[in-house]
């Protein structure tokens, strides 16, 4: 049992250090090496000792005895030196924390570890050779449970003076010098800790080295007692007991000491066991990532929203008698024409008592309500206390990565190391990605600025559009993947997506999408959505066509398969036939070249550039892919001799639906023809004479008649928003109606519609929706005419109402009532139509589980590294790598201790800088 416990404990320490990111530090690297040494000692001694105890003695050959002696000495010498290195590590961490990361680098730690083993093996060879050359002629019974050097040498008939002298000389480098270094290190540590003014700070500092100090004390006390104290002082029985301490007891208790007295180890243990989710954690995740926990109002955000609302009111008053005509536009690509401009923070000064009275009344009531709410808890929490704790555990568990599935809406829980390995596997594809040595952000920003300056000076764009396309503090793009569980539930492959929101490319991509979208929509094969597809399907007449079948093409990895030059040529062709001038076309193409050829992102500590295709996640990606496919269809597909057998050809980005009039072999020839034009653009085929899936529909063919039904994937989960989610009630109450309406559009058969609505009803009931609400909305949908639902709707007319936009919370209805209560004050301004209608209340959703649990960036490889994906903030912050982090004064300013003057910090500072 002791041997098994020792092995399990030390193997657990090694496994935790390897697999837990928060333990990838020098201290825990050395602890894992200590566990390796303990395993070696235990394996060398304990099995043979157990054999001796069970059989009341045993035999061992001379060679076996010397082998055991060699490995025992090597492990013990290595442990002596390693404990010394660990004390030096603690000395640097506590006494010289600002230089800790620069001193204890990974390379330096590996060198120290290798040096300990090298010195240990060399000393062991010197230690082992003299005893092996002794002559044994008398007693051959070792009064010990292993081949300990002292009783072993006493059996020799030779003169052992040289051997004992060798033992005492070697004790200097392996015992005396290490102990001296340890004592000196801890002397400095104690002095440094005692200088910390607070008792809490001293306690925290001592806690970082207490475990090591206990291990050192037990180990060296027993070693000194056995090998340094003269033999006549201790009896043989006492020596045996002391030997048990450093060969059996110490390897057993080391993992216990380091786990029980170390919060990081305990956190890693919890993280490992949390890979098996608790019932409360499963309950939280089962609610779906769109679920929003109940929350109270963030009053700072509410004040910002109210000021924005008051600003809109003042602007209406300021411009009530002025024509809303833009200044004469000299630029072909103007910000107002495109609707692309930075939001102004201009607060107009309006001398209107009625507006002032309204604002004053609303502010007064909000302040009074805020005062009444101070200290109040949530009135209607939608998570239990156990689920709140489980949510916190999931949020802080770095060993797990939570992502939505690529298709089907399931919540996927992944091992973080496997998730990282999947991303790295894809990035190792040299045909698509390549590494770059430095962050290209500033170089790309300069390229964009050169384009903007040239276009502005030529009058191609105006200053406002140039300001919109300039991102002052860009965020670094990062890559993540969505697991494709529809392909494999075990280690699923991932769909790579670059999170570029707020990046140097973000506004440029929005601009390109706005300019090019009409060309994508204008494709003959373009399908906007399911309703558009069903409308097209209604117009199909299969009479006059024989041998009709259904098929679909899927273009493999379209986004990453488009050659840059071919894609640019397709966009250039579309722009050449447009009404844009040559300078405007050149400007658009220049920006497109930048986001294609300079498309970069960060993964862990390495920057990568995408060599081919466009980044999934970019605003311009779908439009760019659609334009490329439109040109491909016009140049290759429509002119093919095979296309005469195509009854219809409709495409949603990379998915093509077609009705084929011909044999299957002829369709295969058509596929081969398409795949032969571009080796990077490959079409996969699905064919059937009965049914085919496209988007969220299943199209069926029977006796020359087409019908449709709702398609659900085998991996689809019940992702309906829970009724108790922290969303506006009108939204959750209307959600079943919208889903029943979707079924009404898709289901062409009334019997199938009834079945689908019943299945949907059961799914809603399991998510907490009242049956009475579902039945009433289902009956309302059944009364509607399907053909009218498939008619293309005209755009709604704008209503003259001023929007009040805020984040939804339990108090949102109270704020809404306050504004409505005083809105009658503004009704007195008859000349402003917007004041005669009530305001339009619109809500941002509260933070949902996806916001709290799903992260795009996996973070740096080195634990505790501070990463800024945007510009560095001004102020003083912890570096996250030293003991001083607990005591540093965090913030954007500091107060002089003598004068009390507040000074702003105008740089980014940490413990290291």
């Amino acid at each position: 049992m002791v041997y098994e416990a020792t092995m399990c404990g030390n193997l657990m320490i090694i496994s935790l250090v390897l697999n837990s990111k928060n333990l990838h530090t020098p201290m825990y690297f050395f602890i894992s090496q200590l566990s390796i040494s303990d395993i070696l000692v235990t394996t060398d001694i304990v099995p043979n000792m157990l054999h001796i105890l069970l059989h009341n003695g045993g035999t061992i050959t001379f060679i076996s005895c010397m082998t055991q002696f060699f490995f025992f000495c090597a492990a013990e010498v290595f442990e002596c030196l390693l404990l010394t290195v660990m004390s030096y590590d603690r000395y640097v961490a506590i006494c010289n924390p600002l230089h800790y990361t620069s001193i204890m680098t990974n390379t330096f730690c590996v060198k120290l570890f290798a040096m300990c083993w090298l010195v240990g093996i060399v000393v062991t060879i010197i230690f082992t050779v003299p005893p092996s050359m002794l002559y044994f002629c008398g007693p051959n019974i070792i009064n010990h449970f292993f081949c300990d050097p002292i009783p072993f040498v006493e059996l020799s008939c030779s003169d052992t003076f040289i051997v004992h002298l060798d033992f005492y000389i070697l004790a200097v480098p392996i015992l005396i010098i290490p102990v001296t270094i340890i004592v000196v290190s801890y002397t400095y540590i104690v002095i440094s800790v005692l200088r910390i003014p607070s008792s809490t700070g001293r306690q925290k500092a001592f806690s970082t080295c207490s475990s090591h100090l206990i291990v050192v004390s037990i180990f060296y006390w027993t070693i000194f007692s056995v090998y340094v104290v003269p033999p006549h002082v201790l009896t043989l029985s006492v020596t045996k007991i002391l030997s048990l301490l450093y060969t059996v007891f110490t390897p057993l208790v080391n993992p216990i000491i380091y786990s029980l007295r170390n919060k990081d180890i305990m956190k890693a243990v919890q993280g490992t066991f949390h890979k098996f989710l608790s019932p409360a954690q499963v309950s939280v995740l089962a609610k779906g990532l769109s679920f929003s926990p109940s929350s109270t109002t963030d009053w700072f955000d509410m004040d910002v929203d109210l000021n924005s609302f008051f600003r809109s009111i003042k602007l209406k008053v300021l411009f009530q008698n002025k024509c809303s005509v833009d200044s004469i536009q000299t630029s072909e690509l103007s910000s107002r024409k495109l609707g692309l401009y930075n939001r102004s923070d201009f607060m107009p000064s309006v001398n209107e008592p009625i507006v002032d009275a309204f604002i004053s009344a609303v502010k007064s009531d909000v302040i009074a309500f805020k005062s009444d709410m101070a200290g109040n808890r949530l009135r209607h929490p939608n998570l239990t206390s156990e689920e709140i704790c489980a949510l916190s555990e999931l949020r802080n568990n770095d060993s797990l990565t939570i992502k939505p599935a690529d298709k089907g809406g399931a919540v996927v829980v992944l091992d973080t190391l496997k998730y990282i390995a999947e991303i790295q596997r894809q990035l190792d594809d040299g045909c698509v990605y390549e590494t770059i040595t430095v962050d290209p952000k500033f170089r790309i920003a300069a390229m964009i600025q050169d384009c903007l300056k040239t276009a502005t000076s030529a009058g191609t764009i105006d200053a406002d559009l140039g300001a919109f396309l300039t991102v002052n503090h860009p965020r670094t793009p990062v890559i993540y993947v969505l697991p494709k569980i529809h392909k494999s539930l075990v280690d699923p492959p991932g769909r790579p997506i670059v999170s570029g929101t707020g990046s140097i490319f973000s506004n440029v991509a929005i601009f390109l999408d706005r300019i090019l979208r009409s060309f994508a929509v204008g494709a003959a094969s373009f399908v906007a959505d399911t309703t558009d597809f069903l409308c097209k399907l209604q117009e199909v007449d299969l009479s006059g066509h024989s041998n009709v079948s259904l098929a679909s093409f899927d273009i493999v990895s379209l986004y990453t398969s488009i050659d840059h030059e071919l894609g640019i040529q397709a966009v250039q062709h579309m722009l050449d036939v447009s009404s844009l001038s040559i300078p405007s076309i050149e400007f658009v193409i220049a920006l497109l070249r930048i986001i294609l050829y300079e498309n970069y992102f960060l993964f862990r500590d390495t920057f990568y550039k995408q060599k081919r295709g466009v980044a999934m996640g970019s605003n311009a990606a779908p439009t760019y892919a659609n334009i490329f496919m439109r040109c491909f269809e016009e140049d290759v597909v429509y002119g093919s001799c095979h296309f005469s057998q195509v009854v219809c050809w409709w495409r949603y980005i990379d998915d093509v639906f077609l009705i084929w009039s011909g044999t299957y072999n002829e369709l295969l020839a058509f596929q081969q023809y398409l795949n032969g034009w571009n080796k990077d653009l490959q079409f996969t085929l699905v064919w059937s004479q009965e049914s085919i899936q496209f988007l969220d529909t299943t199209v069926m063919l029977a006796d020359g008649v087409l019908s449709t039904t709702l398609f659900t994937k085998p991996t689809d989960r019940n992702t309906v928003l829970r009724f108790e989610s922290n969303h506006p009630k009108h939204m959750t109450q209307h959600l079943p109606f919208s889903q029943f309406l979707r079924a009404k559009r898709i289901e062409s058969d009334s019997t199938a519609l009834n079945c689908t609505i019943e299945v949907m009803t059961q799914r809603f009931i399991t998510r907490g929706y009242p049956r009475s609400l579902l039945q009433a909305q289902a009956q309302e949908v059944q009364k509607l005419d399907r053909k009218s639902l498939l008619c293309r709707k005209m755009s709604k007319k704008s209503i003259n109402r001023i929007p009040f936009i805020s984040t939804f919370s339990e108090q949102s209805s109270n704020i809404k009532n306050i504004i409505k209560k005083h809105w009658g004050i503004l009704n007195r301004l008859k000349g402003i139509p917007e004041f005669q209608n009530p305001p339009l209340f619109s809500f941002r959703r509260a933070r949902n589980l996806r916001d709290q649990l799903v992260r795009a960036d996996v973070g740096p490889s080195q634990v505790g590294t501070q990463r800024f994906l945007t510009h560095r903030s001004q102020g003083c912050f912890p570096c996250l790598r030293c003991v001083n982090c607990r005591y540093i004064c965090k913030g954007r300013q500091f107060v002089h201790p003598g004068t009390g003057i507040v000074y702003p910090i105008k740089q980014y500072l940490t413990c290291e800088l």
Side-chain angles (χ1 to χ4, degrees):
M1 290 293 292
V2 173
Y3 177 68
E4 292 176 352
T6 302
M7 295 296 291
C8 290
N10 284 285
L11 287 174
M12 180 194 72
I13 294 292
I14 296 170
S15 176
L16 289 174
V17 173
L18 286 175
N19 297 318
S20 300
K21 292 196 298 182
N22 63 316
L23 300 184
H24 291 176
T25 61
M27 181 177 75
Y28 296 109
F29 170 73
F30 293 134
I31 290 175
S32 66
Q33 300 307 312
L34 180 64
S35 294
I36 293 176
S37 174
D38 288 339
I39 289 175
L40 181 59
V41 170
T42 304
T43 304
D44 185 51
I45 301 297
V46 174
N48 190 58
M49 180 189 72
L50 294 176
H51 175 78
I52 292 172
L53 294 176
L54 290 174
H55 295 84
N56 196 24
T59 59
I60 186 171
T61 64
F62 180 79
I63 294 177
S64 299
C65 186
M66 293 305 301
T67 302
Q68 186 187 60
F69 178 47
F70 177 84
F71 284 107
F72 165 72
C73 291
E76 293 299 303
V77 172
F78 169 75
E79 188 163 339
C80 288
L81 300 176
L82 184 64
L83 290 174
T84 307
V85 170
M86 294 173 69
S87 67
Y88 174 73
D89 171 75
R90 292 298 84 209
Y91 160 76
V92 176
I94 295 176
C95 300
N96 199 5
L98 300 183
H99 296 88
Y100 179 75
T101 54
S102 60
I103 295 175
M104 303 302 294
T105 62
N106 292 338
T107 303
F108 183 62
C109 292
V110 171
K111 288 181 179 179
L112 289 176
F113 148 74
M115 187 63 67
C116 289
W117 273 118
L118 180 62
V119 173
I121 292 174
V122 170
V123 170
T124 301
I125 292 174
I126 299 174
F127 205 75
T128 307
V129 170
S132 65
M133 300 177 66
L134 294 175
Y135 178 65
F136 295 89
C137 60
N140 61 353
I141 298 176
I142 302 175
N143 191 6
H144 217 296
F145 55 83
F146 75 102
C147 290
D148 188 66
I150 301 300
F152 174 76
V153 170
E154 290 177 353
L155 296 178
S156 174
C157 301
S158 307
D159 184 6
T160 60
F161 174 77
I162 300 298
V163 176
H164 282 93
L165 180 63
D166 183 42
F167 287 172
Y168 282 104
I169 292 174
L170 291 176
V172 174
I174 63 176
L175 288 178
I176 305 301
I177 294 178
V179 168
T180 303
I181 295 174
I182 292 173
V183 171
V184 172
S185 298
Y186 273 99
T187 300
Y188 280 103
I189 289 173
V190 171
I191 294 173
S192 298
V193 171
L194 292 178
R195 290 175 180 172
I196 299 175
S198 65
S199 58
T200 304
R202 290 194 296 270
Q203 183 178 359
K204 289 181 177 179
F206 273 127
S207 66
T208 62
C209 53
S210 58
S211 299
H212 177 255
L213 193 57
I214 293 173
V215 171
V216 167
S217 301
I218 295 175
F219 180 77
Y220 276 103
W221 173 68
T222 54
I223 290 290
F224 266 86
S225 299
V226 173
Y227 295 108
V228 177
V229 175
H232 63 274
V233 176
L234 299 175
T235 63
L236 185 59
S237 298
V238 173
T239 302
K240 289 181 181 180
I241 294 173
L242 292 176
S243 298
L244 277 175
L245 289 179
Y246 66 80
T247 56
V248 179
F249 179 73
T250 300
L252 173 66
V253 299
N254 280 355
I256 300 175
I257 294 172
Y258 279 114
S259 60
L260 293 180
R261 298 186 57 85
N262 193 294
K263 292 181 179 179
D264 292 333
I265 293 285
M266 293 303 296
K267 182 179 178 181
V269 172
Q270 293 172 2
T272 300
F273 285 106
H274 284 175
K275 290 182 180 180
F276 306 97
L277 300 179
S278 67
Q281 291 172 339
V282 172
S283 176
V284 170
L285 294 176
K287 296 179 184 296
L289 295 178
S290 59
F291 178 86
S292 292
S294 299
S295 61
T296 56
T297 298
D298 186 319
W299 291 109
F300 177 80
D301 289 343
M302 179 58 69
D303 289 340
V304 172
D305 295 333
L306 284 170
N307 281 331
S308 178
F309 180 57
F310 297 150
R311 175 179 177 273
S312 299
I313 293 173
K314 290 183 177 182
L315 287 173
K316 289 296 179 184
V317 175
L318 182 65
F319 295 107
Q320 61 176 319
N321 296 321
K322 298 180 181 180
C323 298
S324 58
V325 293
D326 295 331
S327 58
I328 298 174
Q329 299 289 347
T330 58
S331 303
E332 183 177 16
L333 302 176
S334 66
S335 61
R336 297 294 167 179
K337 188 184 298 183
L338 295 171
L340 302 176
Y341 47 85
N342 292 325
R343 182 179 175 85
S344 172
D345 56 1
F346 165 68
M347 177 63 78
S349 177
V350 177
N351 186 17
E352 177 54 65
I354 293 178
V355 172
D356 293 339
F358 170 77
I359 294 175
S360 178
V362 171
K363 284 185 175 180
S364 177
D365 282 7
V366 170
I367 291 173
F369 176 70
K370 187 192 306 184
S371 177
D372 293 340
M373 290 298 299
N376 289 352
R377 296 184 178 180
L378 290 172
R379 291 175 295 176
H380 306 290
N382 54 10
L383 290 178
T384 65
S385 57
E386 292 81 7
E387 289 174 335
I388 293 174
C389 293
L391 177 59
S392 177
E393 292 168 356
L394 289 170
R395 192 165 49 237
N396 297 321
N397 192 348
D398 294 332
S399 65
L400 297 179
T401 295
I402 300 173
K403 292 289 180 183
D406 178 50
K407 295 179 181 178
V411 180
V412 185
V413 182
L414 304 163
D415 182 280
T416 298
L417 294 178
K418 292 183 178 180
Y419 173 76
I420 292 173
E422 168 59 20
I423 299 179
Q424 193 62 61
R425 180 189 67 81
Q426 298 197 28
L427 295 180
D428 288 339
D429 183 357
C431 297
V432 182
Y433 305 103
E434 66 178 359
T435 59
I436 50 180
T437 56
V438 295
D439 186 352
K441 177 169 50 183
F442 299 106
R443 179 178 58 82
I444 297 171
M447 294 172 63
I448 294 175
Q449 285 303 309
D450 289 342
C451 289
L452 297 180
K453 288 179 181 178
T454 303
T456 304
S457 61
T460 304
I461 64 172
D462 59 14
D464 288 341
L465 184 57
F468 173 79
L469 295 174
T470 302
V471 181
N472 292 322
H473 302 294
R475 176 180 174 271
T476 302
V478 294
I479 191 172
Y480 66 95
V481 298
L482 296 181
K484 299 180 180 181
I485 60 172
H486 58 282
K487 293 190 175 182
S488 174
L489 289 174
V490 180
D491 298 335
R495 181 184 300 277
I497 298 177
V498 175
S499 175
T501 304
S503 71
I504 196 73
F505 305 117
S506 59
N507 288 3
V508 173
I510 293 172
F511 165 76
L512 292 173
D513 177 63
R514 191 69 56 88
I515 293 291
L516 303 175
R517 187 184 303 167
S518 61
F519 304 116
V521 175
S525 63
F526 179 78
V527 174
D529 50 27
T530 299
T531 303
D532 185 33
F533 172 66
L534 294 172
C535 291
K536 292 177 182 292
L537 208 60
Q538 278 193 132
E539 301 170 358
V540 175
D541 183 10
L542 295 181
S543 60
H545 296 281
S546 59
N547 198 18
V548 175
S549 58
L550 305 174
S552 67
F553 284 126
D554 178 33
I555 305 164
V556 180
S557 303
L558 174 62
Y559 282 32
T560 57
S561 299
I562 303 174
D563 179 77
H564 289 335
E565 286 305 317
L566 292 178
I568 292 172
Q569 289 174 16
V571 174
Q572 180 83 50
H573 173 70
M574 292 290 108
L575 292 174
D576 287 341
V577 297
S578 70
S579 60
L580 288 178
S581 63
I582 293 178
S584 296
I585 294 174
E586 291 175 348
F587 174 67
V588 172
I589 294 298
L591 291 181
L592 180 61
R593 284 188 176 276
I594 290 176
I595 71 167
L596 291 178
Y597 280 98
E598 302 298 334
N599 176 29
Y600 83 102
F601 54 85
L602 176 66
F603 176 66
R604 310 214 79 184
D605 306 315
T606 307
F607 289 97
Y608 291 84
K609 184 166 72 171
Q610 188 169 328
K611 299 163 60 176
R612 187 179 66 191
V614 63
M616 289 188 65
S618 170
N619 291 83
T623 300
Y624 174 74
N626 270 317
I627 291 176
F628 175 78
M629 286 306 302
R630 175 182 177 177
C631 291
F632 180 83
E633 289 167 342
E634 293 174 352
D635 295 341
V636 177
V637 179
Y638 299 154
S640 166
C641 60
H642 302 279
F643 196 73
S644 60
Q645 297 174 275
V646 175
V647 178
C648 64
W649 171 286
W650 298 318
R651 177 181 50 80
Y652 183 80
I653 307 179
D654 57 350
D655 291 324
V656 178
F657 171 85
L658 67 152
I659 299 178
W660 181 255
S661 177
T663 65
Y664 178 64
N665 289 333
E666 290 172 333
L667 182 59
L668 289 177
F670 185 32
Q671 179 195 18
Q672 187 176 2
Y673 166 80
L674 296 176
N675 288 337
W677 277 89
N678 188 334
K679 63 180 179 62
D680 296 324
L681 201 67
Q682 296 297 300
F683 292 74
T684 60
L685 171 65
V686 177
W687 174 83
S688 174
Q689 292 180 317
E690 298 176 353
S691 64
I692 206 78
Q693 181 268 326
F694 186 70
L695 299 180
D696 58 346
T697 68
T698 298
V699 182
M700 297 173 290
L701 176 64
D703 300 327
V705 178
L706 294 173
S707 59
T708 56
T709 186
L710 183 66
F711 172 76
T712 55
K713 300 179 179 67
T715 55
D716 283 357
R717 299 295 184 269
N718 188 359
T719 57
V720 173
L721 181 68
R722 291 195 67 89
F723 189 70
E724 68 273 15
S725 179
N726 186 32
H727 283 74
K729 281 305 172 187
H730 69 270
M731 176 181 172
T732 53
Q733 290 178 354
H734 188 73
L735 185 60
F737 181 82
S738 63
Q739 290 299 304
F740 295 154
L741 207 62
R742 168 172 166 254
K744 180 77 174 182
R745 290 193 187 99
I746 295 175
E747 296 288 354
S748 57
D749 181 71
S750 58
T751 304
L753 173 62
N754 293 332
C755 294
T756 301
I757 288 181
E758 180 59 31
V759 171
M760 285 185 169
T761 299
Q762 293 302 320
R763 292 166 71 92
F764 277 109
I765 289 175
T766 59
R767 306 297 276 182
Y769 287 76
R771 180 177 288 274
S772 58
L773 173 67
L774 299 172
Q775 290 176 343
Q777 295 189 357
Q779 292 174 3
E780 188 177 349
V781 168
Q782 291 281 23
K783 297 176 183 178
L784 300 175
D785 179 51
R786 181 173 181 264
K787 290 184 178 180
S788 64
L789 295 177
L790 294 179
C791 293
R792 294 178 174 86
K793 296 181 179 180
M794 303 296 293
S795 59
K796 295 181 179 180
K797 294 182 179 180
S798 60
I799 302 175
N800 291 328
R801 298 173 67 183
I802 297 178
F804 172 66
I805 305 172
S806 62
T807 302
F808 184 78
S809 68
E810 282 192 350
Q811 292 76 38
S812 292
S813 59
N814 302 91
I815 303 299
K816 176 181 178 180
N817 291 334
I818 290 173
I819 294 175
K820 290 172 66 177
K821 171 185 173 183
H822 299 292
W823 191 254
I825 298 175
L826 294 178
N827 289 154
R828 300 177 185 179
L829 294 173
K830 301 299 182 183
I832 304 177
E834 288 82 0
F835 292 169
Q836 309 312 310
N837 299 316
L840 179 64
F841 293 95
S842 181
F843 299 103
R844 306 182 205 94
R845 63 168 176 78
R847 280 171 55 84
N848 58 20
L849 294 184
R850 179 167 186 158
D851 297 327
Q852 300 186 46
L853 298 177
V854 179
R855 296 183 292 269
D857 184 26
V858 297
S861 57
Q862 184 175 357
V863 177
T865 301
Q866 190 107 260
R867 167 174 284 179
F868 291 89
L869 295 179
T870 57
H871 68 289
R872 289 187 168 188
S873 302
Q874 292 181 347
C876 188
F877 306 95
C879 71
L880 305 182
R881 290 195 294 268
C882 73
V883 293
N884 282 353
C885 291
R886 301 185 179 97
Y887 318 111
I888 194 170
C889 295
K890 298 176 279 291
R892 299 178 183 273
Q893 59 189 19
F894 70 94
V895 180
H896 192 281
T899 62
I901 299 175
V902 178
Y903 292 94
I905 302 174
K906 298 183 178 180
Q907 293 182 351
Y908 167 74
L909 303 175
T910 70
C911 316
E912 298 178 310
L913 300 175

